[in-house]
Every structure is written in C-alpha cells, then in structure tokens.
Amino acid sequence: MSALVSDVGTRTAVAAENLVKVYGKGDTAVRALDGVGVAFTAGRFTAIMGPSGSGKSTLMHCLAGLDNVDGGSVQIGGTEITSLADKELTRLRRDRVGFVFQAFNLLPTLTAEANILLGLELAGRKPDREWFDTIVDVLGLRDRLKHKPSELSGGQQQRVACARALVARPDVVFADEPTGNLDSRSGAEVLDFLRMSVRKLGQTVIMVTHDPVAASYADRVVLMADGRLAGEIDNPTADSVLSALKHLGA
Amino acid sequence: MLRTIIAGLKARTARLVLSSVAIALGVAFVTGTLVLGDGMNESLRDELAKGARNVDVSVTVSEESSTDVQGISPETLAKIRQAPGVAGADPRDAQQVPLVAANGKAKPAMAVSLASDEKLREFDLTDGRYPTAADEIAVDKRTAATAKLTIGQPVVLLGKEDQRHTYTLVGTYQQGTNSMSLSGSDHVGLTQEGFQALEPERPPYQVVGTAAAGFTQQQVADNVRKAIGDNGFVVQTGAELTQAALARVESQSGEFTTLLLAFALIALVVAAMVIYNTFTILVAQRTRELALMRCVGASRGQVFRSVLVEALVMGLTASVIGLFGGLGVSALLQKVVFAIGDSEGVVRLPMTVTTVLAAFAVGTLVTVLAAVLPARKATRVAPVAALRSQPDSGEEVARTGVLRVLTAVLFGAIGVGAIVFGMGIDNEEAAMVVSGAGTMALLAMVLVLGPLLVGPVNRVLGALPRALLGVPAKLASANAGRNPKRTAATTAALMIGVTIVALVTVVANSAKETVNAEIDQRMPADYTVSSAVYDRPLPEELAAQLAAAPEVAKVAPTTVVYGDRAYLTGVPRDAIGDLIRPTVTSGSLADLGDGAIAVNADYAKRSNLSVGSTVDFTPVEGTTQKLKVVAVIEGQGMSDGLMTLETSKRFPQALEGYESILVKLKDGVTNGRAAVEKVTDPSPLAVLDSAAETKEQLNQQLNQVLGFIWALIGLAVVIALFGIANTLTLSVLERTRESALLRALGLTRGQLRLMLVVESVLMALMGAAIGLTLGIGFGWVIIEALSTDTMAVPLAVPFGQIGVMLAGAVVAAVVAAALPARRAARTSVVAGMAEA
C-alpha cells in the first residue's frame, strides 16, 4: 500500500486518447464520444459529469472495457485494452477493475459475503482475510455478511458493492451513479467511503454522476457535453460544479 | 385491447414460438396415436373385407354344435352347390404344414386352399399367376423372400407322415396386414386338389359361394339353409359375414389403441405442465407491463382476458402445427410396426373428426386452461408494481402451503393403501392394476411435494459440479434452487417421463431375468434338438444317431402327452438328476418307476394331489391311465408332470416320436454345434437350440417391445426437455442484468455459458434422479404384485440402461441449454445493464 501512496499524483491509472464511439449508422448515427482524450491519475477520486446524453456513461463503459470503441485508445494501468479479445478483457476487468453500479449490483442468490468475494473467486484468487476484515469493518457490514441482498437496505446493498469493488485491490474502481437510488444519508455514507478509500487506502476511483453534491466529494471533476470534454474543476464544491453545469447548459 | 394483445404477440414471437413447440409436440403425439389407431382399424377392415369380398353366402361349422360335425363334408358341399340360386361354391381351408426352405430346414407355414372362382380368393396377386394344377403353388410375397423362392422353382411341403410333396412355384401374392401376416408366419396357397393331397380326409371349415343372377344374398342363404339343414352349420349372407368380421376388429385393435392413448395421456400431462410453467414465467416477467396497463386504465378483467387470448392464439397455432406433425408421427409409428412385424404394409393416415377435435381440445383447451392460473395471478398485479425497478418473479416462492402438504399426504395415503391392498390380491392382473394405480398416486404425491424437494436434491446433486467446475457451477446451483416452484414445475415433466421409462424398463428387465433363469433351468443340456414344426415330433432314430456321435456324452429324448388341461413329459430314467433337474418339495424321484409320476407343485395344487395319490390322466388320444404320484416337484417352465419314457409310451401320442432330444457334449468339445448339426442336418424337422441362443432370441423380442415403449415415452421426454429449454430461455431473459453484472465482474463468456449448461443439467438430473428413484421403486412394487408363491419374479435393475438414461438426460440438457446460453453470452454487458 505504501507503494501506492507514494505514487499519488504521479502515475496515470487510466487514460483515453482520441476516443470515438458511434451509435447507429448513416443519417441516424450519433457520435456519443467524439474524440475524447483524458487521463486519470492514480490515487485520486475523479467525477465525470454532464447533462443527460453528454456521453459520460459511454465514456465510463469504454474506459472500463465494458464496451468496444470505434476509434482511439484506452489504457488501464499501462495496458492498451481496445485491442484485447473478449476473454483477455474479461480477465483484465476481473483482476484490475472494480465496479459499483447504480442498482442491481448484487446477485440475489448469494449472501453478502459471497457477493463481496465473487470477483476474487472468479479470478481464482485467495482473499486477503485481513484486508477483507478491514473493508467489512469500515463499511459496517460485519453483522450483515450472512444476509441475502433482498434482506439488505438499499444503502447496505451499495456498501456491499463497494466492498466487492475494493476487496480485490483493483487498479481502478468505476462507480456508475452509485448513489442514484439512495436517500441522501445513505448516499453520503457511500460517498464518504469512496473518498476515504482514495485518501486513506490509495485507491483510484472514477465516478459518473449527475449530482453536484456527489461530485463535490471528488478531487477533480471532468465535465462532458455532446460527446466531448467540456472542462475540468479541481477540488470542486457543490456550488462550483452547479455553476459549471449551468454554464454548460447555456 | 385487442391491438395491445396483437402487438404483444408480435413483440414476443420468439418466446411464444418456443412455448408453442411444447404444445405442438403434445398435440402431435395425441393426433399421431389416434391416426395410428384409425389407420390400423382401417387396414384390418380392408383385410376382413377382402375375406368377405364377392361372397354372397357363407357356411361354417357352428362352434356350439352339439353334433359331431368336424367340418363340411363333400356331400354337404355338393348340397350347397346344388341349392337354388348358388352360382358357385368353394371350400376354404387352412392348415399348418412344414415348408422346406432353401437351406433344407423345415419351417412352419400356413397352407390355404384357393377357391376355384378367382373372385372368391382373399389375396391379391403380385407376381406370376395363381396355381391351376395340383402340383403348382403360389406363396406369400414375404415367404418367397425369406425362404428364398423364385417363380419356376420347386417348393417342398411335408405331408402328414413327413412325406415330401413337391410343387412348382407359379406366382406370389400379398396378404394384407392381419394377425397372420404380423406374426411373421409363412403362407402358401394351393389349388383345392393340391391342398387335399396333403391330408385327403380333411373336411374344410368354411364354404363360400356366389349368387346366380336374379337372386338376393338372403334368398341364396335361405335356400342353402334349407338344403343342408340348420344342424351344426351357420349360414350367413355376405353382408352378415362382413359385419361379424368387423365386430371383431374393434376388440382386436382396441387394446393397442388403448396402450397408445395411455402414452398420449402421459405426453399430454407433460405438455400441459410445460405450458403452465411457460405461462407462469411469461406473466411473471411481464409484471411491469401488466401493471403499466393497469396504470393506464385496464381493468382486471381486461388483463385476465389479454393473457387468455394470448394463450388461445398460441394454442390454436400450435394445434394446427401439431395436427400435421401428428400425421408424421403416425406414419413413423406405422413404419416401426411394419419393421417389427417385418411386413410390407401401406401407411394409412385417415383423419377423422374425432382426431381433429382431439387435437384442438388438447392444444387449445389445455393451453388456455394451463394459462388460467397464471392469468389470475396477473390480475393481482398492483398498478404500483409498474414503478418498481426490478420485477422479480422469484418472490412468494418459499411459502409452504398447508394445502400442498395436506394434498401430498392424501395422495400418499391413497397410494400406500392401494399398493398394500394390491399386494394382497391373488389375481396377478388385478394386483398389478391396483398396485399400479397406487404407484401413480405416489407419483402425484411427489409432484405435489416437488417444490419442497428441489432444495435438498439440488444441494446433493450440485455438490459434484460445485467441487469440479468452481464458481460458474456454484452460481448455476444457486440459480437452479432460487425458485423452487419453477424448478419443480420444469423438472416435473421430465420426472414423469423418466419414472415411467424406468418403471417399464425395470419390470421388463426383471421379467427377462426370470425368463432367462427359467430357460437355464429348463435347458441344462448343451443343446436341445426340437422340431421346427409344432405337432410334428422328431423321429426316434435321431436320438440313437446323436448318441453315436463321438463328441456327444449323453442324450436324453423326451416325449410329451397332452391331456385335459395338463401335459406330461416323459424322460429317460437315467437323465433325471443329470440333464433334467427339478427341485423336489416332497416325496422322492428315486421312486419314479413304471406307472409313477412326479407332479409339478402348481398342478398338484390345482388338482389337489399329493405324494401317494393317484392321477387318472386322460390324454387327447388314447385311453385314461392311472398314474401314482411319487413326488411333488417345482420348477418354472416344467411340464405338469414328469414320468419315465417307458411310462409315457402307454399313451399313443408318445409313440409318434420325440418332443425333443437333450444333448450333453463331452468335456472340452469346442465345435459342439457343428458336431450335432452333422447329425441333424438331413432331417428337415430337427432344429438346434442352445440355452444361450434361446435366451438371445427371447431377449431380442423383449428388447424390441421395450424399444417401442422407449420410443413412445421418448416423445414425452423430448417435450419435457423443451420445457427445460423454455424455462432456461425465459430465465436468461429475466436475468439479463444479472448476467451483465457477472460479465462486468469478470465472468468470461465461456463461464457464463458453462453456468447455464450446468443449471440445465442440474434441472435435468433432478428430474431424472427423482424419476429413476420412483421408477425403480414402482417397478419393485409391480414385480411384487406380479409374483406369486410358485413364480417369484426377482427385482433386476438394468443399471446399464439406467446409465444410458442418465447420460441421455445430461446430453439432452446440454443441448437444451445451447440456445439460451448462446443468447446470454452474446448480449453485450452495457446493453444488459441497461435492460430494465
């Protein structure tokens, strides 16, 4: 972990260059990403923001290797992923990427503990028990481990998802509207944890959100509009983000 | 509303087509069965119509005759011919006659006399011409093929005293599909003179005649009756003859149709379950859609009707497809029947109103009925459900209804009661029916309990794949167990099919083992030489010739004496305990001397005999003899009593020759068969059997029947597998987001496919495992019911065949999972996550 911390602010965790993603063909073609170039420094918490249809979710999908791109390149931890076959890409996700989605993060058939360890099991890796305990305690999930997702509250479910994303110590955690389905208190808990995982544990987190308050937890906000980068805010506050968004909308 | 329904049907075409396949298969089976039954009826009718065609008057010997009329004498025939209005009359007769085939061996054939009036003949000429002279012969087309006879060649028949009658083959004819042709018996036709030469004094059993111009059938019949008198004869008009024949048709083909319908019923139940399950899932998945319809103002009734109309459309479409598929099934089954009977029948596909109605009743009515419960469930969807983000059809699953348990207990009580009661019945057939019904009640119990069994069975079956295949198998096992009701309903169909296949197989196999054991007991000798033709004993000198062969250690000729409701065997005194080894229950075989008899336990019980009593045995030919009972013996397949060869010669029948000759070879003789054949070859009657060969033959026949049943139930199993594929496809659709999540977390495409395949295999194995357990248990019950004090049928489980069944289930499950798995793996992660 110390190595990670020492890298803070210097190493690039994820980078995209001239990224193009087109939906549809001919007249109806929509350039969801139109030459996006962006880099995410390791050990930082970055939020991607933009109005609906700005391409922020598409950008995240392409960065995470969930979707293929029509042009440009994406590197995760120095590995070029746009040329990888599905199997290698799957392995890369399993080993080096963590995910927290807006909803439906957990498999209903597995207990919270099994859900947290699912990624490691898929990779055939032994969980680091100490690390697992740390995460579970920080997230306050100790007495919920044996429960099925249907027995957990929305906030608890998202915390389980966070635990799963972190337990494998990935190069980067992608969070897609992680608080979209939560009340403000549960949302704040999840965001607090994400920020803490960056500050204290040296994790790299990239979060897509449309909520200025959520974005204010990040170290840096990347703004998007019409498939292009539309600006950046370092050390954002809810107000600064809001005004930047207003500017975009105008 | 209708527009919404049509739009819905269009949007879900793929899912509906898949569900329709199950219905169509069920319909096809029911239709196929009915068409097959009708087709066989029709062919029987045609056959019988052939027998009565052009006949205006028929005279047969009355069966209840108190007079001693054995047949129709030449005098009677003359009277019939002279009766006013009779244009012509010819006798019809048939008798069994050994036919010497190209290899010099005799085989039993049925010889018939051909009417001199060609119009009155019952056959259709296929090649050459009918015989016109006493030394000419025509043979059935199939006989010509199997005995390797061609037109122009000589054909040899053996007369009463084994004298050879040689005829020239002039033509072949075709018999229709009837019991005679299905039995595979050979058939030859001779002129009246040629036929009489075989056995000159034999009177025919029937005379058929035609009416002269201007006479009605009734007038001719009346005239004939007047001419020969009523005593001992039945005089019928041609129309009456046809009718009497047709009356027999129903009873003959009825049994077979009933059997087929029983299988059709199984297929139907299985199909209904698959349909029910499919609709339950379809409705559950559409919760949001239905709720949205309620939100925008659809009433409960409208939602209910929309689901039913969908079922109706699906049922109708599937019925039409199934109806035509059924014709194919029927054609196929007829081909199978012909292949088993080795006959060349014409495939008939009559389509009756009943068949069409049954097809639509099964396809449409069952589909709609199966959809009623799910449709009712659909009406209970609250409009607010439209707003929930994740419709989950896996809710309200775990409830263990009290009603369910009570129903199961009721079925269980009925089943156990019927089985216990059935075991106590002496009559084998009644015992089997009652116990069989009991097992079906138990099957119903297990079906009702299904959802409760899924959990534990899944845990046990899932253990191995979980250990071997890791995470994907773990997920698959969890998925298979997540919705016990759905899994139970899906596997139930397969369970029923496998239960019945296993039941039939176990019973058939046990019967086979019993018969094999019986053959072993009956044939301790290396070879048994017997007569190819029933009623033609072997010449006595054959025994001496066999005994003289250097490879033969010992021979034991046996004789047989038929009496009233019993038959006795004569054996050489010194063969007892050596080549003939009965089990003695009382008395001693050492006392078996002249005028003594050892009776079989069955016969002893029947005729109230014990050691020391005397039997007055009245043979079919000759006079009653007193025989002293010296022992009671046991042995399946033994005759009713054993006596010495000398004692048996008191009866004229035993003097005619030997029933069989048991041959024991010297130790170390390897080419025994050739050695024995060298002696028996010159005799056309002598055929060689060894226990192994006889078993082989019997087993082949049993396997054929079993194969037919496997094929029939196989269809039900196919429907069941479509059910699994169906459930899996729907589950895959339902779990699109889940699959996408797993892919995002690092499950490879291959692993996702593996997961679905394992889930499919688990479901199939669940059905197969429970089905096999039940089937074997039920088989044991039926066997116990069949067993009597004197004939115990031990349980013999055919592990090989059961292994084949299990392997088949696994393979089929893999196939069933192929499409859903492909579909799941192809969905992109992002698209999957976006799915609501």
Side-chain angles (χ1 to χ4, degrees), chain A residues 23 61 66-67 86-87 90 93-94 99 101 103-110 118-119 121-122 164 181, chain B residues 389-390 392 471-472 474-475 478-479 482 737-738 741-749 751 828-830 833:
Chain A
Y23 289 115
H61 290 149
L66 290 173
D67 211 349
D86 182 72
K87 204 168 185 174
T90 305
R93 280 203 302 269
R94 169 163 104 185
F99 288 100
F101 296 105
F104 211 82
N105 252 310
L106 309 176
L107 284 191
T109 49
L110 301 181
L118 183 61
E121 270 202 70
L122 284 170
R164 182 193 58 210
N181 269 17
Chain B
S389 62
Q390 291 173 43
D392 188 6
V471 189
K474 214 161 149 184
L475 294 170
N479 281 337
R482 76 198 283 181
R737 292 189 68 171
E738 221 175 291
L741 175 69
L742 281 166
R743 293 273 291 119
L745 291 181
L747 194 74
T748 62
R749 281 211 171 97
Q751 284 177 314
S828 92
V829 181
V830 175
M833 295 301 298

Side-chain angles (χ1 to χ4, degrees), chain B residues 45 138-139 231 268 310 324 346 362 469 546 624 640 651 684 706 739 751 808 834-835:
Chain B
R45 271 211 186 92
V139 303
N231 203 6
L268 185 61
E310 197 173 300
F324 288 102
V346 185
V362 167
L469 300 171
L546 279 169
T624 303
D640 294 308
F651 302 96
L706 210 56
S739 303
Q751 284 177 314
E835 190 104 336

